[in-house]
Amino acid sequence: EDTTLKEFVDSTSRGYKGERLKRFIEDIFERVRDLIQSPDGNRRIAGILAADELGETRVFGDSMNRLSDLIRILMEAFVFAGVDQTSAMAVRQGIPADSLSSKGQHAATLADMKT
């Protein structure tokens, strides 16, 4: 049976406290940041989707600081790759254009016109 990222993080974090929980969360942030900053477009999209799913977990969703850190990592994805390129890749990967910001929608449309 497949386990989603949300299920894994929620079940694993229940058993951790203190320093161990802090290391677990830091490891997740590092992995997501590495995905988002990857030169490979598919890995960047995977990082964006992972950050989105992590926002729904108890350990991240119940903490405003952790949630804002996830948002910061997501913002880095657009700064790192450029809004045009990341938005266009998101649309090509099947993420609905209307889920992007208006600037991202416009950038995706322009980028698609270039290809």
Side-chain angles (χ1 to χ4, degrees):
E1 183 176 316
D2 290 337
T3 301
T4 66
L5 178 60
K6 179 185 181 307
E7 292 167 340
F8 169 75
V9 170
D10 279 341
S11 67
T12 302
S13 64
R14 261 185 241 122
Y16 293 167
K17 293 190 186 314
E19 189 61 33
R20 191 169 184 194
L21 178 62
K22 181 181 174 188
R23 282 194 315 267
F24 177 68
I25 292 168
E26 287 172 354
D27 184 51
I28 291 171
F29 276 125
E30 183 178 328
R31 290 171 187 254
V32 171
R33 184 176 291 114
D34 286 348
L35 285 170
I36 286 174
Q37 292 180 350
S38 171
D40 181 288
N42 290 325
R43 290 179 60 82
R44 279 197 302 270
I45 295 297
I48 291 167
L49 294 173
D52 181 55
E53 190 168 345
L54 287 168
E56 297 177 12
T57 64
R58 285 193 359 243
V59 73
F60 286 92
D62 290 349
S63 168
M64 196 55 101
N65 287 337
R66 291 182 194 134
L67 202 51
S68 66
D69 286 344
L70 278 177
I71 292 168
R72 184 177 39 76
I73 289 173
L74 283 170
M75 290 172 57
E76 288 174 6
F78 290 94
V79 171
F80 180 78
V83 174
D84 291 354
Q85 184 182 4
T86 303
S87 297
M89 283 188 310
V91 170
R92 282 195 282 272
Q93 293 294 323
I95 296 173
D98 60 355
S99 68
L100 301 171
S101 68
S102 59
K103 185 176 181 181
Q105 290 174 23
H106 180 67
T109 301
L110 291 176
D112 279 340
M113 293 169 83
K114 293 177 187 175
T115 58

